[in-house]
Amino acid sequence: QVTAKTAFLFILPQYNVSVPTADGELVQYHYGLKDLVTILFYIFIAIILHAVVQEYALDKINRRLHLSKVKHSKFNESGQLVAFHLTSVIWCLYVVVTEGYISNPRSLWENYPHVYLPFQVKFFYLCQLAYWLHALPELYFQKVRKEEIPRQLRCIALYLVHIAGAYLLNLTRLGLILLLLQYLAEFFFHMARLVCFTDENNEKLFNVWAVVFVVTRLFTLTLYILVIGFGLPRVENQALDPERGNFFSFLFNNILFRMSVLLLVCLFQASVMWRFIHFQLRRWREYWNEQSSRKRAAAGAKQQAKPLKRDSGYHENGVVKAENGTSPRTKKLKSP
């Protein structure tokens, strides 16, 4: 029994509480320091799954494609993220549908703070934190190039800050919807990269990703405005109460603070869209330059294929021939 209790500490979420409901009692969870032990266990699980995907899927494809070292590293990165994002999108969509967060958008801010979580919501957040923490040692195991490490560290840090912030500040419902939108766009991007590695001329999925990215950015901005601008200011319990998990809902009564937060959100989304537009313009410029160079090469090949016209004759075996095929004879000079 002692080992079983220790194993449950690593495998299952802790801090379960029986919450009374109209139909009886419902078991829900809140967070605490013991969650770090569970996250540590699932970090090792994520490392094992990472190695399985690399060994039995990505390495076999890489042997057939014969990619360069740079493309090899990017292919492995996108392959791992495609598997993760696809799993996370399906899992997150199942959670938000079964919990009713999509059918009832008011539940995103009603009864805030959302201290008590269903099992599947807490387990999802623990697994997400474990995955992005496991990505740190994977930078060493995968022998990522030094030039790529700062970019990947920024990406990992942003995901960890947003996921941990939503989990610790009891904004898990809003965090689930935002993660669903973000992972959906990221899935199409990395899928497009994989297709481009196999066929460089196939960029149809990049166009699909561009549409999905713009749509998800608009939904994300709308969701922020709906929750921060209209939802949280109407919460009944506006007093600061860290023990009950109410950290900052009282601040949203101040219109200046609310507008400042919305302004920061809009500026951040605008910067993301600017980088996206810059990327698309660069990609289109490269595409049109490639098309124009191909046209010039084709035009040059046609000009070289045309026969050259000669007026007075032509050369054959180093001898000038006349137009009628006879060789011109040189006149003999009479001796004086």
Side-chain angles (χ1 to χ4, degrees):
Q1 291 182 352
V2 176
T3 56
K5 290 181 180 180
T6 306
F8 288 148
L9 180 64
F10 283 89
I11 298 172
L12 296 178
Q14 303 300 309
Y15 303 104
N16 55 316
V17 178
S18 297
V19 179
T21 59
D23 299 331
E25 290 187 349
L26 182 64
V27 178
Q28 292 190 329
Y29 298 80
H30 60 92
Y31 61 81
L33 290 177
K34 292 181 181 179
D35 291 341
L36 297 176
V37 180
T38 310
I39 291 173
L40 179 63
F41 173 76
Y42 285 100
I43 286 175
F44 292 112
I45 297 297
I47 292 174
I48 294 172
L49 293 176
H50 189 114
V52 169
V53 173
Q54 185 69 40
E55 178 69 24
Y56 293 98
L58 298 180
D59 286 346
K60 291 183 178 180
I61 299 174
N62 273 320
R63 294 190 193 100
R64 296 181 180 179
L65 296 178
H66 304 289
L67 299 174
S68 62
K69 290 184 178 180
V70 177
K71 290 185 178 181
H72 180 84
S73 177
K74 292 181 179 180
F75 183 87
N76 289 336
E77 177 191 357
S78 293
Q80 294 287 347
L81 289 175
V82 161
F84 169 72
H85 286 137
L86 179 60
T87 305
S88 297
V89 165
I90 296 173
W91 188 3
C92 189
L93 182 62
Y94 174 79
V95 172
V96 298
V97 169
T98 54
E99 295 296 330
Y101 299 153
I102 292 181
S103 59
N104 183 20
R106 295 174 63 89
S107 62
L108 298 179
W109 62 82
E110 281 184 342
N111 301 320
Y112 179 83
H114 307 132
V115 179
Y116 299 112
L117 308 175
F119 171 82
Q120 59 181 356
V121 175
K122 176 165 182 173
F123 189 61
F124 177 82
Y125 270 92
L126 294 180
C127 290
Q128 291 294 313
L129 291 171
Y131 178 86
W132 290 110
L133 285 172
H134 112 282
L136 294 173
E138 285 294 342
L139 295 177
Y140 173 77
F141 294 146
Q142 293 292 320
K143 298 180 180 179
V144 178
R145 295 184 305 143
K146 293 182 179 180
E147 297 82 4
E148 292 290 324
I149 289 178
R151 178 185 63 83
Q152 295 199 24
L153 284 177
R154 284 196 303 269
C155 179
I156 294 169
L158 285 174
Y159 274 113
L160 285 175
V161 168
H162 283 81
I163 296 172
Y167 184 65
L168 297 175
L169 298 176
N170 301 312
L171 291 169
T172 50
R173 300 180 183 181
L174 176 63
L176 281 173
I177 305 296
L178 294 177
L179 277 177
L180 177 61
L181 295 172
Q182 177 66 20
Y183 285 164
L184 186 64
E186 288 292 313
F187 168 74
F188 280 102
F189 173 73
H190 289 288
M191 195 68 197
R193 284 181 73 182
L194 291 180
V195 174
C196 187
F197 285 135
T198 57
D199 184 7
E200 294 183 355
N201 297 323
N202 190 349
E203 296 188 352
K204 293 181 180 179
L205 268 182
F206 273 112
N207 298 329
V208 176
W209 164 72
V211 175
V212 173
F213 182 87
V214 173
V215 172
T216 53
R217 290 302 101 192
L218 292 176
F219 271 103
T220 300
L221 185 59
T222 304
L223 198 60
Y224 271 119
I225 295 174
L226 182 64
V227 175
I228 296 176
F230 300 98
L232 289 177
R234 298 181 181 180
V235 174
E236 295 179 359
N237 185 14
Q238 296 288 348
L240 176 63
D241 191 359
E243 294 183 358
R244 297 184 59 185
N246 194 345
F247 294 101
F248 54 80
S249 63
F250 71 99
L251 294 173
F252 288 97
N253 278 331
N254 188 340
I255 189 172
L256 181 61
F257 177 80
R258 190 161 67 244
M259 295 304 295
S260 299
V261 172
L262 289 176
L263 180 61
L264 289 175
V265 169
C266 292
L267 289 176
F268 177 75
Q269 296 298 324
S271 66
V272 172
M273 285 299 299
W274 170 251
R275 289 197 296 271
F276 168 76
I277 293 171
H278 181 71
F279 171 77
Q280 291 295 327
L281 290 176
R282 185 181 63 186
R283 188 167 69 90
W284 289 339
R285 193 183 304 115
E286 292 175 354
Y287 173 77
W288 288 115
N289 289 338
E290 183 180 356
Q291 292 295 321
S292 61
S293 63
R294 287 181 179 179
K295 289 180 180 179
R296 287 196 297 268
K302 288 182 179 179
Q303 289 181 356
Q304 291 179 359
K306 289 181 180 180
L308 297 176
K309 294 182 179 180
R310 297 175 177 84
D311 295 333
S312 59
Y314 61 96
H315 289 77
E316 183 178 326
N317 296 328
V319 180
V320 178
K321 296 285 186 178
E323 291 184 356
N324 55 3
T326 59
S327 299
R329 294 182 179 179
T330 57
K331 295 181 180 181
K332 294 181 179 180
L333 296 177
K334 294 181 179 181
S335 56

